[in-house]
Amino acid sequence: DGDAGKSSQKKENDKASSADESSKSLSSSKKKNKELEDPMADVRYTEEGKQKPVGNGGSTNRYRWTQTINETSVIIGVPEGTRGKDLDVIIKASSLSVRLTKAPPKKENEDEAPSPILLEGDLVEKIRTDESTWSLEGGALVLTLDKVKKTWWETVLIGDEKIDTTLVDSTRKIGEYDDATQGAIRKILFDQRQERLGLPTSDEILGKKLIPPLPPGVEYIDKETLDANTSKKNDS
């Protein structure tokens, strides 16, 4: 009888545990669906009017996006039951296009049928198309875009709302990147600091010789100018 009682209690505990997991899964699924239906719901802004980054990315009314220094992920909600063959996804080096092959049906509370165009526009930075992919995951289309230039994006498509890249979490896992990527991150942080202080960026420093200020009445004379002046004196 004791064994039977323990077995019965175990079954009840398993049922309760299973019900709890199902409840958590349903709650998580509802939250995810809500985020996809209204990507702008939880957006917060800085005083300058830029979005505070979430997952180092942001949101528009069409999609959410996150990023690392190497790639950007774009998450787009799709109609229920959408399969790969129902989508026309074109990923180019400088642009994106995502369309449904058939226009979705009009709902009862809608005046017009939804547009078959889910996403379309020019990218803010170039990507490597051979390393970029897309997949359907849990009722959403996920685009993974491999960056050519290892930098933090302010937005995905030109014209969309921007995030404040100075708030990007770029140091938490910097040690996990290779030396080249760590160097790229440090360069970005340096350039951002220089711009805030009104000082030249690393590219400007390396691209031209910065001449220190001279006392009044003193000027630099390069070799070409010196040769020209010498030639004039000789001719006279």
Side-chain angles (χ1 to χ4, degrees), residues 92-147:
K92 295 183 178 181
S94 300
S95 65
L96 292 177
S97 175
V98 180
R99 298 172 176 239
L100 294 168
T101 55
K102 294 181 180 179
K106 184 176 70 173
K107 296 180 180 179
E108 293 182 1
N109 59 344
E110 293 178 336
D111 295 331
E112 298 179 0
S115 171
I117 302 173
L118 301 180
L119 186 69
E120 198 165 64
D122 295 324
L123 292 165
V124 69
E125 294 281 354
K126 288 188 176 182
I127 60 171
R128 292 187 176 88
T129 56
D130 56 339
E131 295 293 334
S132 299
T133 61
W134 65 273
S135 62
L136 282 171
E137 301 176 15
L141 172 66
V142 180
L143 306 173
T144 303
L145 311 176
D146 188 73
K147 299 176 180 178

Side-chain angles (χ1 to χ4, degrees), residues 2-42:
D3 291 341
K6 290 179 180 179
S7 177
S8 176
Q9 183 63 42
K10 185 176 183 301
K11 289 181 179 179
E12 290 299 322
N13 290 340
D14 289 343
K15 287 182 180 179
S17 177
S18 177
D20 185 52
E21 289 298 323
S22 296
S23 177
K24 288 181 179 179
S25 177
L26 181 60
S27 175
S28 176
S29 177
K30 287 181 177 179
K31 182 180 179 181
K32 184 174 182 180
N33 288 338
K34 182 180 179 182
E35 290 177 347
L36 292 173
E37 289 174 3
D38 186 10
M40 301 293 287
D42 302 321

Side-chain angles (χ1 to χ4, degrees), residues 176-195:
E176 297 179 7
Y177 296 115
D178 57 35
D179 291 342
T181 302
Q182 288 188 44
I185 293 174
R186 293 191 177 97
K187 178 180 182 297
I188 292 167
L189 296 176
F190 174 81
D191 287 344
Q192 289 175 345
R193 179 179 179 278
Q194 292 292 96
E195 288 175 359

Side-chain angles (χ1 to χ4, degrees), residues 32-79:
K32 184 174 182 180
N33 288 338
K34 182 180 179 182
E35 290 177 347
L36 292 173
E37 289 174 3
D38 186 10
M40 301 293 287
D42 302 321
V43 173
R44 295 183 299 159
Y45 293 88
T46 65
E47 293 181 357
E48 291 74 24
K50 292 185 177 181
Q51 291 186 18
K52 294 183 177 180
V54 176
N56 288 344
S59 298
T60 74
N61 57 9
R62 294 165 294 164
Y63 62 89
R64 287 177 179 264
W65 65 281
T66 62
Q67 66 175 325
T68 66
I69 195 68
N70 293 308
E71 63 184 29
T72 295
S73 296
V74 180
I75 303 96
I76 310 167
V78 295

